[in-house]
Amino acid sequence: MNSVLPSEAAYDRRRLRQWTRGRARMAGIDRRDLLRLIAAASVAAPLIPAAASPAHAAQSLAGVVKPLPPELFTVRGTNAETNFAALRDTGLLTPADRFFVRNHTSTPVIDTADWKLTVWGSGLTGGPVDFSYEALRALPSVSRTAFIECAGNGRSFFASQQGQQVSGTAWTLGAIGTARWRGVRLAEVLRRAGIGRNAVDVLPRGLDAEVISDGTNLGRVRRPLPVAKALDDVLLAYEMNGEPLPPDHGAPVRLVVPSWVGIANIKWVGDIEVSAEPLLSPWNTGLYRLFGPGYPPEGSAPLTRQTLKSAFELAPGASFAARRRHLLTGRSWSGGAPVRSVEVSTDGGARWRPARLRDEPRAGSWVRWTADWVPEETGPGVLLARATDRSGRTQPTTTAHNTQGYLFDAVVRHPVTVV
Ligand SMILES: Nc1nc2c(c(=O)[nH]1)N[C@H]1C(S)=C(S)[C@@H](COP(=O)(O)O)O[C@H]1N2
Ligand SMILES: [Mo]
């Protein structure tokens, strides 16, 4: 099991108390704007619909560098969702050309030669320390396989399956990808920069444009990480699947924060504040907490780990020939613990049978699975997949509502047609 769990929980409780007592410091946003953001967070605004795009036109999205062909991606606002059907012929790792993109604004194109990382703040024993790209590459490197998943992945099912209004991008299940990341341990860089015993929070910040939300300038994308996580398994990654990081995924260097909400994985990182005081930013206060009935007015503790989900590698409404054998394929993953088992139902949830796992389950990654299906009746049908992880948690039939539609973990009903 993961040694980070107890300290994460303690961090959350402590930070939340400090926030409610007004003792944590607002990094780069004033208190009134922050309170406005939190008030807005407690009310669900309508979902942001997918941009309409003609069926076979080559899509491009201002602000995203790579091509977004419609067979691979569905464009949603400034973001691109991976079509799960496009993962069927991929291995465990998601090729960069089909990895989802979540941009608050747009992809900056940064010249590696001009780039540096500045580590600074009251939690260092000395002054600011700069690392050039060359200097980072010269440090000992590590590689690890990890998924990055948006906290809002699956958000659209709050509306379509539960009839609940939530705000944010209407993702289906494709705001996730798994890659082999190579880089330097954040712990290594923080130690070389002289992190002190008094450090409590580490705040990486992106070099992309400032984010304007409802007329409020939230500043550049940044979200504090507790020191316990920062010193554990976090990477400053410069390679994705053996290639230099592509622009859309954070070139030249991004954070990879295994098992945590996508927003923790700051792209295009330019500086990291190491603080002796607890820090707040819009991304751990009004955003990326749970709001709504059942949560305190200031929201839940800041979100940390992703939840448990499963998806079929199929287009919605895919059709199957009756009385033939079909191989259903899909993937399941959990931020909590490795996946233990997956069950599939082809009759709308009345009966379940085990799927065959194709990968050794590992923390922070996903497992591919298969199941045979010989449909008998023609007409509309529903496929379901349900995972259980090694912490004993199983995907439920519904997810408790939260206004911003984070962490949807319920079993998704996948519509199909038998012909
Ligand atoms: N600087 C910066 N980092 C960022 C973001 C961003 O807009 N700017 N988006 C975050 C969110 S919400 C997610 S889900 C992941 C998405 O990573 P990807 O675009 O490589 O898939 O990046 C995170 N890091
Ligand atoms: Mo995200």
Side-chain angles (χ1 to χ4, degrees):
M1 278 303 299
N2 198 308
S3 59
V4 179
L5 267 175
S7 54
E8 278 173 23
Y11 166 83
D12 286 348
R13 282 196 304 275
R14 196 170 59 239
R15 194 65 74 253
L16 192 61
R17 277 200 309 273
Q18 285 161 332
W19 155 247
T20 49
R21 292 174 194 165
R23 284 221 315 261
R25 181 162 67 76
M26 322 282 155
I29 182 164
D30 68 50
R31 190 170 175 84
R32 191 150 15 102
D33 284 344
L34 203 52
L35 290 172
R36 203 139 50 91
L37 189 68
I38 288 168
S42 51
V43 184
L47 279 177
I48 300 162
S53 59
H56 299 290
Q59 298 174 106
S60 71
L61 178 58
V64 172
V65 170
K66 69 183 178 184
L68 302 170
E71 60 282 11
L72 302 186
F73 292 102
T74 302
V75 169
R76 303 189 187 282
T78 56
N79 316 295
E81 173 169 357
T82 303
N83 296 335
F84 237 94
L87 296 181
R88 187 172 166 111
D89 60 356
T90 65
L92 188 76
L93 305 181
T94 313
D97 70 355
R98 49 190 86 183
F99 204 99
F100 85 104
V101 180
R102 164 61 175 125
N103 278 354
H104 281 72
T105 59
S106 60
T107 296
V109 177
I110 298 166
D111 186 346
T112 300
D114 299 337
W115 178 89
K116 66 177 163 47
L117 173 67
T118 302
V119 184
W120 60 281
S122 59
L124 294 185
T125 52
V129 180
D130 287 348
F131 296 83
S132 68
Y133 186 72
E134 298 311 318
L136 268 194
R137 299 279 318 208
L139 295 178
S141 75
V142 290
S143 295
R144 85 176 274 152
T145 300
F147 65 73
I148 289 179
E149 183 188 16
C150 189
N153 195 23
R155 176 181 285 128
S156 65
F157 301 110
F158 279 102
S160 63
Q161 294 196 168
Q162 306 189 172
Q164 293 163 335
Q165 203 181 35
V166 292
S167 43
T169 303
W171 304 110
T172 59
L173 286 168
I176 181 169
T178 299
R180 184 90 179 146
W181 309 98
R182 179 160 167 263
V184 189
R185 295 189 48 182
L186 178 58
E188 177 85 32
V189 167
L190 294 177
R191 288 204 185 96
R192 283 172 192 260
I195 188 170
R197 287 168 176 277
N198 60 345
V200 296
D201 275 351
V202 168
L203 180 68
R205 182 163 55 160
L207 290 167
D208 41 339
E210 296 181 329
V211 179
I212 315 287
S213 169
D214 291 332
T216 303
N217 186 342
L218 305 180
R220 301 215 314 265
V221 177
R222 62 202 186 284
R223 188 177 200 253
L225 271 178
V227 157
K229 181 68 175 174
L231 294 179
D232 184 30
D233 56 359
V234 178
L235 290 190
L236 281 165
Y238 45 70
E239 272 182 20
M240 178 182 189
N241 299 334
E243 302 284 339
L245 209 56
D248 295 315
H249 299 293
V253 177
R254 80 175 303 166
L255 256 73
V256 173
V257 184
S259 300
W260 278 37
V261 285
I263 185 62
N265 300 258
I266 297 295
K267 302 193 275 189
W268 316 295
V269 60
D271 73 298
I272 300 179
E273 178 179 357
V274 181
S275 175
E277 302 171 274
L279 296 179
L280 295 173
S281 91
W283 288 271
N284 69 339
T285 52
L287 302 167
Y288 302 98
R289 291 181 186 231
L290 307 179
F291 290 88
Y295 297 106
E298 71 279 11
S300 69
L303 300 181
T304 57
R305 287 169 180 271
Q306 284 294 129
T307 185
L308 180 58
K309 291 192 190 72
S310 301
F312 287 93
E313 294 167 347
L314 275 183
S319 64
F320 291 86
R323 292 173 297 282
R324 296 263 178 82
R325 178 177 300 275
H326 300 278
L327 186 68
L328 300 175
T329 67
R331 298 173 192 238
S332 298
W333 60 95
S334 169
V339 170
R340 183 165 71 200
S341 58
V342 180
E343 301 158 283
V344 166
S345 171
T346 51
D347 60 4
R351 282 167 307 162
W352 294 85
R353 56 202 163 87
R356 290 179 298 272
L357 303 191
R358 292 183 52 204
D359 297 298
E360 181 66 35
R362 293 188 200 285
S365 185
W366 54 16
V367 286
R368 290 172 292 167
W369 45 259
T370 62
D372 295 319
W373 184 35
V374 183
E376 299 296 337
E377 310 278 309
T378 58
V382 174
L383 303 179
L384 297 92
R386 172 171 82 185
T388 299
D389 73 18
R390 286 195 193 146
S391 75
R393 180 151 159 214
T394 298
Q395 288 184 255
T397 29
T398 57
T399 301
H401 178 248
N402 68 88
T403 58
Q404 295 175 108
Y406 295 128
L407 302 187
F408 188 87
D409 63 348
V411 174
V412 169
R413 302 175 64 82
H414 192 110
V416 293
T417 311
V418 179
V419 292

